[in-house]
Amino acid sequence: MRNLQIILILLTSAITFAQNTGSIVGKLTDKEYNNEPLPFANILIKGTTTGTTSDIDGLYQFTELDPGSYTLVFSFVGYETIEIKAEVVPGKVTTINVPMAASAASLDEVVITTTTRKESEAALLLDQKKAVEIKQSIGAIELSRKGVGDAAAAVSKISGISKQESSSDVYVRGLGDRYQNTTMNGLSLPSTDVNKKNIDLDLFSTDIIENISVSKAYTPNFYGDFAAGNVNINSKEYNGNGFLNIAIGSGVNSNAAGETFVRNDGASFFGYYNRYNNNPFAVVLSHTVDPQQGESPVNLNGSISGGYSFDFDDDTRLSFFATLGFSNGFEYREGIARDFTNVLKVDYPNVEEYSYSTNTTGMLNLDFKIDDQNSLKYSSLFINSSNDEVGYFGTKGRGFNRDDIASVDPNGFGYFTINGRFNQDMVFVNQLLGTHRSSDEDGIKITWGFGYNKVLSDEPDRKRFSFENYQFALDNDPNTNPIFYTNIPFDNQRFFQTIEDNEYSSFLNFNKEVSENFKFNIGYNGRRKKRIFNSIRYGYEIIDRDNTPVLNVNNLNSLLNVNNLSLEPGQGLFNTIVLNPISNEIGNTNVPGLPENTYNGLLTINAGYANAEINLGEKWLLVPGVRFEHFEQEIEYDVINIPPNDPGVRSVSETLILPSFNVKYALNEDSNLRFSFSKTASIPEFKEVAPFVYEDVTLRYGGNPDLLGGPDGNGPTYSEIYNFDLKYEWFVSADEILSVAAFAKRIENPVNRVVAADATGTQRYFRTGDNAEAFGLEVELRKNLLQRDEENALLSFGFNGSYLFTEQDLKDISGTFTTSFDRSTEELEGASKWVFNADLSYKPKFGNYEPRLTLVSSYFSDRIYSIGSGQLGNIVEKSVTALNFVWNSPISEKLDLTVSASNLLNPDISFVREDTGSGDITISEFKAGVNMGLSLKYKF
């Protein structure tokens, strides 16, 4: 295509120019970016006002030049300015092709200039235009403009993608966590949450993100576990002179402002827990249970980043980029929470929750350019994320528990629960990547990578205490007081949970360009992931609850301390109970115990693949491919509430053959038509298989080992998925696009989260039917409405949206766990029919002052959170509309001010249980509040 463009330019020049004029044409390439075409560079004829810019393919031209000598000045922000003399001959065309590179000696603002190619919207649109697969990307510049603070919010700005409000859950094309993959620099990333397959994307602050791409169509270099898409985070790189950035900021949540915050004992301001070295039983005996007064609810954030490049000669360079950041956030939520199984079991019409979260991120990138053909990259990433929550359920004395036996209220009111929970996730990611090219004649490129990930995810010392007759705590009568709710000892408990994940991943790709019209890839990638999980509870057995009044529910330390432990019959107020004793001889009372739930999971994947890129003429690109993947999955478990005849282990071994076929047809230089077909798979995650049940205040959820072959081992072990995509994309200009896409998926043996119709209401995963189908449409538009000048838009608009239709058949299931349905079809879990994202950006200029104001909005329609079984309806997450505002204001060349306000509409975050027999019942509802912030960034 590029050769044809040059020929057309030459022919046009030769025909147009008379014999007394000449022309200069050529192509600019980028030595810093694999010698790709360099668009939007400036070319000026020195000493004149005549100039032009290179087009999207790096081409430029000057026509109708008088004969003589000229000096051309080639410049691009962040690159060395080059002057070249040229001679124009009458009736002739002079061709000057120029490779450009960064200048290590002349750049002042290298932070912006040397990474513009990979961060800017124009560069990413160019990458999207040239890509062999269907993908979309969002870069650091666009993230900054839209006030996006993390990767989860970033991908939700891409068409067909939505984010669950007040959570990190992301839905791609209406499909949830189990249908996605997450990678960084092409290597797999681990999950930090026992209940999720993918890592929480909101852990990745935009300080470490260069761009994020979402590939919705499959190519064989991806793992076969692919359905909705693959989210790849490219970490920031740096080339150029040294720089240092320091940013500080503050903010407040409208709900939290003015509240007296409380936090759990044992957790630090920076999100670390200081008692991991203590045995849980020692923590129960020696550390307090009451929440502690917290800090003033003012959000703080700060970061420091820097980089430098060392040039050893013309071809060798060592560059580093490092960043360290910390942020916290306070939220106060008021709402309702209910536990509706087949009846209303627990009702808290008045809930107050105090939440304190932190995120500490550190990253180091080392890039070693050995020469023009060989380079190495090392990335090390550390993330510490924590969330400290204290919840008061039933604060106005109107709480209800169906099993309450001591309530004196005629309506059974007075049930009250205090729940304190601290979660800490530490993620360590280390990657080594290499790129090696042969000479241009050989056309060989080898890329490889190796990664090691470690995750420590802990919930240390969750404290939960429940009371009856809480209305007496509100009547100011010292003679009437609440009492403990103690149907079983574990109604009042301390809970400890630990998860350790270790994962190795690698890839090797060999690319050979046989000719300009044919190249092929062959490669390998593999993973080995191991999880170790355990949990233990200690329950409080209140010896005589009727005669143990709780004088102050906020001072349980006066009752539940080691001095009141019942070590002798008839003494003390309580015993501690553990389910799994160290030995039967010493029993399970007032002694340490062993974990009551454990499981170990192991997943091993080895795969080889091949594909070809075939150019047929100037318009057709065909990319056939195939992947051969072998996976082994095993899980061993020892958990409570499992049938006694269960073997406690499941293992499978499967070989997958996964074909794919991608087609790109260039309608013209600015528009493409794409088609994709592929067969992929969906493999169960450990949390879906392990039958451990996690008990939240009003929810219980666990896994199902029958996903690996069924109870007899002869059933399906994975889901087969057939994917079809058709997309039209028109690149209107360097930063404008219009695209329309249609897609269809067929999923065999789909897996869904189902809420049981029994008394427990536990949510588990089942293969709910034989087939599921999904059909959808997507549209994306980026348009400059008003131009400020030739290069900058005054007013720009962006919109993307999608419509999705899903349907699956349902069938009754028997096995280790059973479920049944009163209907034959249902929508897929997590599927929103409508998803919209829009932004409007205004960028005026007043002298040297150039602010940018941006409004960003999003919407998703109702979607199923869990499928209801029996005669009961689904749990549905209700639609949410969000609106954010960002004002970026440069105060000087080195100092920037950003003012932001997110969640301006402050909608209800609501979950509803449908068709309960008494209509729909809201089981959870709260408002997250408006977050307002201000930050300053100084560039040294």
Side-chain angles (χ1 to χ4, degrees), residues 561-586:
N561 61 70
V562 68
N563 296 322
N564 288 328
L565 195 64
S566 179
L567 299 178
E568 298 290 339
Q571 296 181 358
L573 299 179
F574 70 94
N575 293 310
T576 64
I577 304 295
V578 65
L579 282 182
N580 191 9
I582 294 176
S583 70
N584 293 328
E585 287 75 15
I586 65 173

PDB file of all heavy atoms in Angstrom, residues 561-586:
ATOM      1  N   ASN A 561     -13.168  -9.840  76.350  1.00  0.00           N
ATOM      2  CA  ASN A 561     -11.728  -9.778  76.596  1.00  0.00           C
ATOM      3  C   ASN A 561     -11.282 -11.041  77.305  1.00  0.00           C
ATOM      4  O   ASN A 561     -12.102 -11.811  77.820  1.00  0.00           O
ATOM      5  CB  ASN A 561     -11.350  -8.529  77.388  1.00  0.00           C
ATOM      6  CG  ASN A 561     -12.004  -8.484  78.755  1.00  0.00           C
ATOM      7  OD1 ASN A 561     -11.669  -9.263  79.643  1.00  0.00           O
ATOM      8  ND2 ASN A 561     -12.961  -7.561  78.939  1.00  0.00           N
ATOM      9  N   VAL A 562      -9.992 -11.269  77.359  1.00  0.00           N
ATOM     10  CA  VAL A 562      -9.457 -12.530  77.867  1.00  0.00           C
ATOM     11  C   VAL A 562      -9.816 -12.770  79.327  1.00  0.00           C
ATOM     12  O   VAL A 562      -9.915 -13.917  79.790  1.00  0.00           O
ATOM     13  CB  VAL A 562      -7.926 -12.569  77.651  1.00  0.00           C
ATOM     14  CG1 VAL A 562      -7.230 -11.538  78.529  1.00  0.00           C
ATOM     15  CG2 VAL A 562      -7.378 -13.966  77.874  1.00  0.00           C
ATOM     16  N   ASN A 563     -10.061 -11.697  80.079  1.00  0.00           N
ATOM     17  CA  ASN A 563     -10.413 -11.858  81.495  1.00  0.00           C
ATOM     18  C   ASN A 563     -11.790 -12.469  81.686  1.00  0.00           C
ATOM     19  O   ASN A 563     -12.076 -13.018  82.748  1.00  0.00           O
ATOM     20  CB  ASN A 563     -10.349 -10.503  82.209  1.00  0.00           C
ATOM     21  CG  ASN A 563      -8.948  -9.934  82.231  1.00  0.00           C
ATOM     22  OD1 ASN A 563      -7.979 -10.673  82.391  1.00  0.00           O
ATOM     23  ND2 ASN A 563      -8.835  -8.618  82.067  1.00  0.00           N
ATOM     24  N   ASN A 564     -12.645 -12.373  80.668  1.00  0.00           N
ATOM     25  CA  ASN A 564     -13.995 -12.938  80.769  1.00  0.00           C
ATOM     26  C   ASN A 564     -14.116 -14.294  80.079  1.00  0.00           C
ATOM     27  O   ASN A 564     -15.217 -14.805  79.901  1.00  0.00           O
ATOM     28  CB  ASN A 564     -15.011 -11.972  80.169  1.00  0.00           C
ATOM     29  CG  ASN A 564     -15.224 -10.746  81.029  1.00  0.00           C
ATOM     30  OD1 ASN A 564     -15.123 -10.811  82.248  1.00  0.00           O
ATOM     31  ND2 ASN A 564     -15.510  -9.602  80.394  1.00  0.00           N
ATOM     32  N   LEU A 565     -12.989 -14.856  79.674  1.00  0.00           N
ATOM     33  CA  LEU A 565     -13.000 -16.184  79.068  1.00  0.00           C
ATOM     34  C   LEU A 565     -13.347 -17.224  80.125  1.00  0.00           C
ATOM     35  O   LEU A 565     -12.836 -17.189  81.261  1.00  0.00           O
ATOM     36  CB  LEU A 565     -11.632 -16.484  78.471  1.00  0.00           C
ATOM     37  CG  LEU A 565     -11.532 -17.654  77.486  1.00  0.00           C
ATOM     38  CD1 LEU A 565     -12.351 -17.398  76.237  1.00  0.00           C
ATOM     39  CD2 LEU A 565     -10.072 -17.894  77.120  1.00  0.00           C
ATOM     40  N   SER A 566     -14.205 -18.161  79.794  1.00  0.00           N
ATOM     41  CA  SER A 566     -14.662 -19.174  80.748  1.00  0.00           C
ATOM     42  C   SER A 566     -13.695 -20.353  80.758  1.00  0.00           C
ATOM     43  O   SER A 566     -13.856 -21.317  80.009  1.00  0.00           O
ATOM     44  CB  SER A 566     -16.071 -19.653  80.370  1.00  0.00           C
ATOM     45  OG  SER A 566     -16.519 -20.643  81.274  1.00  0.00           O
ATOM     46  N   LEU A 567     -12.702 -20.262  81.617  1.00  0.00           N
ATOM     47  CA  LEU A 567     -11.707 -21.335  81.717  1.00  0.00           C
ATOM     48  C   LEU A 567     -12.106 -22.391  82.731  1.00  0.00           C
ATOM     49  O   LEU A 567     -11.571 -23.505  82.732  1.00  0.00           O
ATOM     50  CB  LEU A 567     -10.343 -20.740  82.089  1.00  0.00           C
ATOM     51  CG  LEU A 567      -9.772 -19.737  81.074  1.00  0.00           C
ATOM     52  CD1 LEU A 567      -8.449 -19.174  81.572  1.00  0.00           C
ATOM     53  CD2 LEU A 567      -9.600 -20.398  79.725  1.00  0.00           C
ATOM     54  N   GLU A 568     -13.036 -22.053  83.618  1.00  0.00           N
ATOM     55  CA  GLU A 568     -13.543 -22.997  84.604  1.00  0.00           C
ATOM     56  C   GLU A 568     -15.060 -23.014  84.553  1.00  0.00           C
ATOM     57  O   GLU A 568     -15.677 -21.986  84.249  1.00  0.00           O
ATOM     58  CB  GLU A 568     -13.087 -22.602  86.015  1.00  0.00           C
ATOM     59  CG  GLU A 568     -11.587 -22.604  86.208  1.00  0.00           C
ATOM     60  CD  GLU A 568     -10.999 -24.012  86.188  1.00  0.00           C
ATOM     61  OE1 GLU A 568     -11.773 -24.964  86.420  1.00  0.00           O
ATOM     62  OE2 GLU A 568      -9.789 -24.145  85.914  1.00  0.00           O
ATOM     63  N   PRO A 569     -15.687 -24.159  84.821  1.00  0.00           N
ATOM     64  CA  PRO A 569     -17.158 -24.215  84.805  1.00  0.00           C
ATOM     65  C   PRO A 569     -17.761 -23.184  85.744  1.00  0.00           C
ATOM     66  O   PRO A 569     -17.294 -23.006  86.878  1.00  0.00           O
ATOM     67  CB  PRO A 569     -17.457 -25.642  85.264  1.00  0.00           C
ATOM     68  CG  PRO A 569     -16.227 -26.416  84.927  1.00  0.00           C
ATOM     69  CD  PRO A 569     -15.093 -25.471  85.109  1.00  0.00           C
ATOM     70  N   GLY A 570     -18.775 -22.475  85.250  1.00  0.00           N
ATOM     71  CA  GLY A 570     -19.457 -21.489  86.069  1.00  0.00           C
ATOM     72  C   GLY A 570     -18.750 -20.156  86.153  1.00  0.00           C
ATOM     73  O   GLY A 570     -19.234 -19.260  86.852  1.00  0.00           O
ATOM     74  N   GLN A 571     -17.635 -20.005  85.455  1.00  0.00           N
ATOM     75  CA  GLN A 571     -16.902 -18.740  85.484  1.00  0.00           C
ATOM     76  C   GLN A 571     -16.867 -18.143  84.079  1.00  0.00           C
ATOM     77  O   GLN A 571     -16.968 -18.843  83.085  1.00  0.00           O
ATOM     78  CB  GLN A 571     -15.473 -18.950  85.987  1.00  0.00           C
ATOM     79  CG  GLN A 571     -15.372 -19.437  87.422  1.00  0.00           C
ATOM     80  CD  GLN A 571     -13.924 -19.599  87.863  1.00  0.00           C
ATOM     81  OE1 GLN A 571     -13.007 -19.386  87.083  1.00  0.00           O
ATOM     82  NE2 GLN A 571     -13.734 -19.991  89.121  1.00  0.00           N
ATOM     83  N   GLY A 572     -16.685 -16.849  84.043  1.00  0.00           N
ATOM     84  CA  GLY A 572     -16.509 -16.172  82.765  1.00  0.00           C
ATOM     85  C   GLY A 572     -17.813 -15.936  82.024  1.00  0.00           C
ATOM     86  O   GLY A 572     -18.885 -16.405  82.430  1.00  0.00           O
ATOM     87  N   LEU A 573     -17.712 -15.193  80.930  1.00  0.00           N
ATOM     88  CA  LEU A 573     -18.876 -14.821  80.143  1.00  0.00           C
ATOM     89  C   LEU A 573     -18.986 -15.574  78.819  1.00  0.00           C
ATOM     90  O   LEU A 573     -20.083 -15.704  78.276  1.00  0.00           O
ATOM     91  CB  LEU A 573     -18.843 -13.310  79.845  1.00  0.00           C
ATOM     92  CG  LEU A 573     -18.872 -12.366  81.057  1.00  0.00           C
ATOM     93  CD1 LEU A 573     -18.807 -10.918  80.576  1.00  0.00           C
ATOM     94  CD2 LEU A 573     -20.119 -12.604  81.903  1.00  0.00           C
ATOM     95  N   PHE A 574     -17.859 -16.084  78.301  1.00  0.00           N
ATOM     96  CA  PHE A 574     -17.918 -16.679  76.968  1.00  0.00           C
ATOM     97  C   PHE A 574     -16.815 -17.706  76.779  1.00  0.00           C
ATOM     98  O   PHE A 574     -15.814 -17.720  77.505  1.00  0.00           O
ATOM     99  CB  PHE A 574     -17.807 -15.597  75.889  1.00  0.00           C
ATOM    100  CG  PHE A 574     -16.449 -14.959  75.798  1.00  0.00           C
ATOM    101  CD1 PHE A 574     -15.483 -15.427  74.905  1.00  0.00           C
ATOM    102  CD2 PHE A 574     -16.115 -13.894  76.616  1.00  0.00           C
ATOM    103  CE1 PHE A 574     -14.233 -14.848  74.825  1.00  0.00           C
ATOM    104  CE2 PHE A 574     -14.860 -13.297  76.540  1.00  0.00           C
ATOM    105  CZ  PHE A 574     -13.922 -13.777  75.643  1.00  0.00           C
ATOM    106  N   ASN A 575     -17.026 -18.565  75.808  1.00  0.00           N
ATOM    107  CA  ASN A 575     -16.020 -19.495  75.307  1.00  0.00           C
ATOM    108  C   ASN A 575     -15.726 -19.171  73.844  1.00  0.00           C
ATOM    109  O   ASN A 575     -16.576 -18.636  73.124  1.00  0.00           O
ATOM    110  CB  ASN A 575     -16.507 -20.946  75.383  1.00  0.00           C
ATOM    111  CG  ASN A 575     -16.679 -21.434  76.800  1.00  0.00           C
ATOM    112  OD1 ASN A 575     -15.790 -21.293  77.628  1.00  0.00           O
ATOM    113  ND2 ASN A 575     -17.852 -22.015  77.088  1.00  0.00           N
ATOM    114  N   THR A 576     -14.538 -19.515  73.403  1.00  0.00           N
ATOM    115  CA  THR A 576     -14.245 -19.469  71.970  1.00  0.00           C
ATOM    116  C   THR A 576     -14.385 -20.883  71.409  1.00  0.00           C
ATOM    117  O   THR A 576     -13.982 -21.860  72.046  1.00  0.00           O
ATOM    118  CB  THR A 576     -12.832 -18.940  71.685  1.00  0.00           C
ATOM    119  OG1 THR A 576     -11.862 -19.840  72.220  1.00  0.00           O
ATOM    120  CG2 THR A 576     -12.652 -17.554  72.299  1.00  0.00           C
ATOM    121  N   ILE A 577     -14.939 -20.965  70.217  1.00  0.00           N
ATOM    122  CA  ILE A 577     -15.194 -22.247  69.569  1.00  0.00           C
ATOM    123  C   ILE A 577     -14.542 -22.235  68.188  1.00  0.00           C
ATOM    124  O   ILE A 577     -14.671 -21.265  67.438  1.00  0.00           O
ATOM    125  CB  ILE A 577     -16.704 -22.509  69.408  1.00  0.00           C
ATOM    126  CG1 ILE A 577     -17.420 -22.419  70.766  1.00  0.00           C
ATOM    127  CG2 ILE A 577     -16.952 -23.867  68.763  1.00  0.00           C
ATOM    128  CD1 ILE A 577     -16.997 -23.491  71.763  1.00  0.00           C
ATOM    129  N   VAL A 578     -13.819 -23.310  67.874  1.00  0.00           N
ATOM    130  CA  VAL A 578     -13.252 -23.477  66.547  1.00  0.00           C
ATOM    131  C   VAL A 578     -13.758 -24.804  65.988  1.00  0.00           C
ATOM    132  O   VAL A 578     -13.942 -25.772  66.736  1.00  0.00           O
ATOM    133  CB  VAL A 578     -11.713 -23.431  66.588  1.00  0.00           C
ATOM    134  CG1 VAL A 578     -11.156 -24.624  67.368  1.00  0.00           C
ATOM    135  CG2 VAL A 578     -11.125 -23.382  65.189  1.00  0.00           C
ATOM    136  N   LEU A 579     -14.026 -24.880  64.686  1.00  0.00           N
ATOM    137  CA  LEU A 579     -14.629 -26.086  64.118  1.00  0.00           C
ATOM    138  C   LEU A 579     -13.632 -27.220  63.938  1.00  0.00           C
ATOM    139  O   LEU A 579     -13.985 -28.386  64.067  1.00  0.00           O
ATOM    140  CB  LEU A 579     -15.276 -25.757  62.769  1.00  0.00           C
ATOM    141  CG  LEU A 579     -16.639 -25.066  62.821  1.00  0.00           C
ATOM    142  CD1 LEU A 579     -17.168 -24.844  61.419  1.00  0.00           C
ATOM    143  CD2 LEU A 579     -17.632 -25.893  63.626  1.00  0.00           C
ATOM    144  N   ASN A 580     -12.391 -26.893  63.623  1.00  0.00           N
ATOM    145  CA  ASN A 580     -11.409 -27.928  63.299  1.00  0.00           C
ATOM    146  C   ASN A 580     -10.331 -27.936  64.376  1.00  0.00           C
ATOM    147  O   ASN A 580      -9.347 -27.197  64.300  1.00  0.00           O
ATOM    148  CB  ASN A 580     -10.803 -27.643  61.921  1.00  0.00           C
ATOM    149  CG  ASN A 580      -9.980 -28.808  61.401  1.00  0.00           C
ATOM    150  OD1 ASN A 580      -9.978 -29.900  61.977  1.00  0.00           O
ATOM    151  ND2 ASN A 580      -9.281 -28.593  60.295  1.00  0.00           N
ATOM    152  N   PRO A 581     -10.488 -28.771  65.417  1.00  0.00           N
ATOM    153  CA  PRO A 581      -9.524 -28.752  66.526  1.00  0.00           C
ATOM    154  C   PRO A 581      -8.178 -29.346  66.115  1.00  0.00           C
ATOM    155  O   PRO A 581      -8.081 -30.134  65.168  1.00  0.00           O
ATOM    156  CB  PRO A 581     -10.194 -29.598  67.588  1.00  0.00           C
ATOM    157  CG  PRO A 581     -11.083 -30.530  66.835  1.00  0.00           C
ATOM    158  CD  PRO A 581     -11.553 -29.758  65.638  1.00  0.00           C
ATOM    159  N   ILE A 582      -7.161 -28.948  66.834  1.00  0.00           N
ATOM    160  CA  ILE A 582      -5.833 -29.530  66.603  1.00  0.00           C
ATOM    161  C   ILE A 582      -5.852 -31.025  66.899  1.00  0.00           C
ATOM    162  O   ILE A 582      -5.247 -31.827  66.173  1.00  0.00           O
ATOM    163  CB  ILE A 582      -4.789 -28.804  67.469  1.00  0.00           C
ATOM    164  CG1 ILE A 582      -4.653 -27.347  67.008  1.00  0.00           C
ATOM    165  CG2 ILE A 582      -3.447 -29.503  67.409  1.00  0.00           C
ATOM    166  CD1 ILE A 582      -3.716 -26.519  67.855  1.00  0.00           C
ATOM    167  N   SER A 583      -6.560 -31.417  67.925  1.00  0.00           N
ATOM    168  CA  SER A 583      -6.731 -32.842  68.255  1.00  0.00           C
ATOM    169  C   SER A 583      -8.036 -33.003  69.014  1.00  0.00           C
ATOM    170  O   SER A 583      -8.500 -32.073  69.685  1.00  0.00           O
ATOM    171  CB  SER A 583      -5.555 -33.369  69.087  1.00  0.00           C
ATOM    172  OG  SER A 583      -5.575 -32.810  70.384  1.00  0.00           O
ATOM    173  N   ASN A 584      -8.618 -34.165  68.911  1.00  0.00           N
ATOM    174  CA  ASN A 584      -9.865 -34.416  69.616  1.00  0.00           C
ATOM    175  C   ASN A 584      -9.670 -34.456  71.121  1.00  0.00           C
ATOM    176  O   ASN A 584     -10.614 -34.240  71.885  1.00  0.00           O
ATOM    177  CB  ASN A 584     -10.485 -35.724  69.135  1.00  0.00           C
ATOM    178  CG  ASN A 584     -10.953 -35.638  67.690  1.00  0.00           C
ATOM    179  OD1 ASN A 584     -11.373 -34.579  67.238  1.00  0.00           O
ATOM    180  ND2 ASN A 584     -10.868 -36.753  66.964  1.00  0.00           N
ATOM    181  N   GLU A 585      -8.434 -34.758  71.546  1.00  0.00           N
ATOM    182  CA  GLU A 585      -8.174 -34.854  72.977  1.00  0.00           C
ATOM    183  C   GLU A 585      -8.332 -33.512  73.683  1.00  0.00           C
ATOM    184  O   GLU A 585      -8.888 -33.425  74.778  1.00  0.00           O
ATOM    185  CB  GLU A 585      -6.764 -35.403  73.229  1.00  0.00           C
ATOM    186  CG  GLU A 585      -6.599 -36.888  72.936  1.00  0.00           C
ATOM    187  CD  GLU A 585      -6.544 -37.184  71.443  1.00  0.00           C
ATOM    188  OE1 GLU A 585      -6.341 -36.217  70.657  1.00  0.00           O
ATOM    189  OE2 GLU A 585      -6.731 -38.353  71.057  1.00  0.00           O
ATOM    190  N   ILE A 586      -7.866 -32.456  73.061  1.00  0.00           N
ATOM    191  CA  ILE A 586      -7.954 -31.153  73.736  1.00  0.00           C
ATOM    192  C   ILE A 586      -9.244 -30.425  73.354  1.00  0.00           C
ATOM    193  O   ILE A 586      -9.588 -29.418  73.984  1.00  0.00           O
ATOM    194  CB  ILE A 586      -6.740 -30.270  73.413  1.00  0.00           C
ATOM    195  CG1 ILE A 586      -6.707 -29.902  71.910  1.00  0.00           C
ATOM    196  CG2 ILE A 586      -5.453 -30.946  73.809  1.00  0.00           C
ATOM    197  CD1 ILE A 586      -5.640 -28.895  71.581  1.00  0.00           C
TER     198      ILE A 586
END
